[in-house]
Tab-separated table of all heavy atoms in Angstrom:
chain	number	residue	atom	x	y	z
T	280	VAL	N	-6.275	99.977	33.174
T	280	VAL	CA	-5.577	99.023	32.305
T	280	VAL	C	-4.077	99.291	32.425
T	280	VAL	O	-3.577	100.345	32.025
T	280	VAL	CB	-6.061	99.155	30.850
T	280	VAL	CG1	-5.268	98.219	29.944
T	280	VAL	CG2	-7.559	98.849	30.761
T	282	LYS	N	-1.527	97.416	31.230
T	282	LYS	CA	-0.686	96.671	30.274
T	282	LYS	C	0.476	97.479	29.721
T	282	LYS	O	1.459	96.911	29.281
T	282	LYS	CB	-1.541	96.141	29.121
T	282	LYS	CG	-2.083	97.222	28.215
T	282	LYS	CD	-2.997	96.657	27.139
T	282	LYS	CE	-3.409	97.761	26.188
T	282	LYS	NZ	-4.557	97.404	25.358
T	283	TYR	N	0.381	98.790	29.711
T	283	TYR	CA	1.463	99.612	29.159
T	283	TYR	C	2.481	100.038	30.211
T	283	TYR	O	3.432	100.724	29.882
T	283	TYR	CB	0.910	100.907	28.559
T	283	TYR	CG	-0.077	100.762	27.430
T	283	TYR	CD1	-1.336	101.346	27.532
T	283	TYR	CD2	0.271	100.091	26.260
T	283	TYR	CE1	-2.246	101.259	26.480
T	283	TYR	CE2	-0.638	99.994	25.222
T	283	TYR	CZ	-1.894	100.580	25.336
T	283	TYR	OH	-2.777	100.493	24.310
T	303	ASN	N	-4.220	92.364	29.318
T	303	ASN	CA	-4.716	91.600	28.180
T	303	ASN	C	-3.890	90.383	27.796
T	303	ASN	O	-4.261	89.670	26.885
T	303	ASN	CB	-4.966	92.503	26.964
T	303	ASN	CG	-3.689	93.092	26.417
T	303	ASN	OD1	-2.662	93.057	27.085
T	303	ASN	ND2	-3.742	93.639	25.217
T	332	ILE	N	-8.867	91.323	29.787
T	332	ILE	CA	-9.544	92.079	28.732
T	332	ILE	C	-9.060	91.726	27.329
T	332	ILE	O	-9.587	92.238	26.351
T	332	ILE	CB	-9.405	93.601	28.959
T	332	ILE	CG1	-7.939	94.041	28.893
T	332	ILE	CG2	-10.034	94.018	30.288
T	332	ILE	CD1	-7.739	95.550	28.937
T	333	GLY	N	-8.055	90.885	27.231
T	333	GLY	CA	-7.499	90.569	25.914
T	333	GLY	C	-8.090	89.289	25.346
T	333	GLY	O	-8.820	88.576	26.032
T	378	GLN	N	-17.846	89.249	24.247
T	378	GLN	CA	-17.273	90.281	23.373
T	378	GLN	C	-17.968	90.262	22.026
T	378	GLN	O	-18.087	89.215	21.383
T	378	GLN	CB	-15.761	90.073	23.203
T	378	GLN	CG	-15.129	91.212	22.406
T	378	GLN	CD	-13.613	91.203	22.446
T	378	GLN	OE1	-12.995	90.394	23.153
T	378	GLN	NE2	-13.021	92.107	21.699
T	414	MET	N	-19.302	93.205	25.912
T	414	MET	CA	-18.111	94.051	25.803
T	414	MET	C	-17.868	94.351	24.334
T	414	MET	O	-18.110	93.502	23.466
T	414	MET	CB	-16.915	93.299	26.407
T	414	MET	CG	-15.583	94.021	26.342
T	414	MET	SD	-14.699	93.828	24.770
T	414	MET	CE	-12.997	93.904	25.335
T	416	MET	N	-15.072	96.837	21.600
T	416	MET	CA	-14.063	97.865	21.357
T	416	MET	C	-14.503	98.627	20.122
T	416	MET	O	-14.769	98.010	19.086
T	416	MET	CB	-12.704	97.223	21.075
T	416	MET	CG	-12.063	96.610	22.299
T	416	MET	SD	-10.543	95.729	21.857
T	416	MET	CE	-9.408	97.101	21.704
T	456	GLY	N	-15.669	101.585	26.195
T	456	GLY	CA	-15.071	102.895	26.412
T	456	GLY	C	-13.636	102.757	26.868
T	456	GLY	O	-13.346	102.042	27.829
T	457	MET	N	-12.710	103.404	26.116
T	457	MET	CA	-11.289	103.413	26.428
T	457	MET	C	-10.847	104.873	26.529
T	457	MET	O	-11.679	105.772	26.518
T	457	MET	CB	-10.512	102.634	25.350
T	457	MET	CG	-11.044	101.228	25.203
T	457	MET	SD	-10.460	100.178	23.814
T	457	MET	CE	-8.791	100.652	23.537
T	458	SER	N	-9.543	105.095	26.619
T	458	SER	CA	-9.075	106.471	26.852
T	458	SER	C	-9.666	107.483	25.866
T	458	SER	O	-10.036	108.582	26.231
T	458	SER	CB	-7.550	106.531	26.754
T	458	SER	OG	-6.990	105.846	27.851
T	459	ASN	N	-9.741	107.078	24.613
T	459	ASN	CA	-10.149	108.037	23.587
T	459	ASN	C	-11.653	108.313	23.554
T	459	ASN	O	-12.076	109.342	23.047
T	459	ASN	CB	-9.707	107.517	22.212
T	459	ASN	CG	-9.955	108.502	21.101
T	459	ASN	OD1	-9.538	109.658	21.201
T	459	ASN	ND2	-10.658	108.082	20.070
T	473	ARG	N	-12.700	100.954	30.476
T	473	ARG	CA	-11.357	100.365	30.583
T	473	ARG	C	-10.329	101.410	30.159
T	473	ARG	O	-10.189	101.691	28.978
T	473	ARG	CB	-11.274	99.122	29.669
T	473	ARG	CG	-12.435	98.121	29.857
T	473	ARG	CD	-12.292	96.953	28.889
T	473	ARG	NE	-12.132	97.399	27.511
T	473	ARG	CZ	-13.117	97.521	26.624
T	473	ARG	NH1	-14.343	97.186	26.931
T	473	ARG	NH2	-12.867	97.962	25.406
T	474	LEU	N	-9.639	101.978	31.132
T	474	LEU	CA	-8.779	103.126	30.848
T	474	LEU	C	-7.313	102.818	31.099
T	474	LEU	O	-6.909	102.530	32.227
T	474	LEU	CB	-9.198	104.321	31.713
T	474	LEU	CG	-10.662	104.771	31.582
T	474	LEU	CD1	-10.940	105.944	32.513
T	474	LEU	CD2	-10.991	105.140	30.137
T	475	GLY	N	-6.530	102.906	30.028
T	475	GLY	CA	-5.085	102.717	30.146
T	475	GLY	C	-4.370	104.049	30.118
T	475	GLY	O	-4.111	104.688	31.139
T	476	THR	N	-4.049	104.484	28.911
T	476	THR	CA	-3.208	105.656	28.690
T	476	THR	C	-3.618	106.883	29.511
T	476	THR	O	-2.779	107.524	30.153
T	476	THR	CB	-3.256	106.036	27.193
T	476	THR	OG1	-3.202	104.838	26.426
T	476	THR	CG2	-2.089	106.915	26.831
T	477	ILE	N	-4.877	107.200	29.507
T	477	ILE	CA	-5.303	108.451	30.136
T	477	ILE	C	-5.212	108.374	31.668
T	477	ILE	O	-5.038	109.389	32.340
T	477	ILE	CB	-6.744	108.813	29.688
T	477	ILE	CG1	-7.024	110.302	29.913
T	477	ILE	CG2	-7.793	107.968	30.390
T	477	ILE	CD1	-8.332	110.780	29.308
T	480	GLY	N	-1.193	106.047	32.266
T	480	GLY	CA	-0.123	106.442	31.360
T	480	GLY	C	0.389	105.284	30.532
T	480	GLY	O	-0.135	104.175	30.579
T	481	LYS	N	1.403	105.610	29.754
T	481	LYS	CA	2.093	104.605	28.949
T	481	LYS	C	3.554	104.673	29.335
T	481	LYS	O	4.046	105.745	29.622
T	481	LYS	CB	1.961	104.948	27.458
T	481	LYS	CG	0.893	104.183	26.744
T	481	LYS	CD	1.076	104.289	25.241
T	481	LYS	CE	-0.052	103.574	24.543
T	481	LYS	NZ	0.112	103.468	23.104
Z	139	PLP	C1	-5.393	98.413	25.896
Z	139	PLP	C2	-6.836	98.221	26.087
Z	139	PLP	C3	-7.609	99.201	26.744
Z	139	PLP	C4	-7.049	100.520	27.231
Z	139	PLP	O1	-6.591	101.296	26.180
Z	139	PLP	P1	-6.333	102.874	26.327
Z	139	PLP	O2	-6.700	103.410	24.998
Z	139	PLP	O3	-4.905	103.058	26.660
Z	139	PLP	O4	-7.248	103.392	27.379
Z	139	PLP	C5	-8.946	98.941	26.926
Z	139	PLP	N1	-9.518	97.794	26.498
Z	139	PLP	C6	-8.823	96.832	25.861
Z	139	PLP	C7	-9.520	95.597	25.416
Z	139	PLP	C8	-7.465	97.017	25.640
Z	139	PLP	O5	-6.780	96.043	24.999
Side-chain angles (χ1 to χ4, degrees):
V280 177
K282 68 184 185 196
Y283 300 124
N303 66 345
I332 63 173
Q378 185 168 355
M414 178 276 211
M416 288 174 79
M457 304 171 33
S458 291
N459 186 52
R473 310 178 307 265
L474 303 179
T476 319
I477 200 171
K481 261 196 183 187

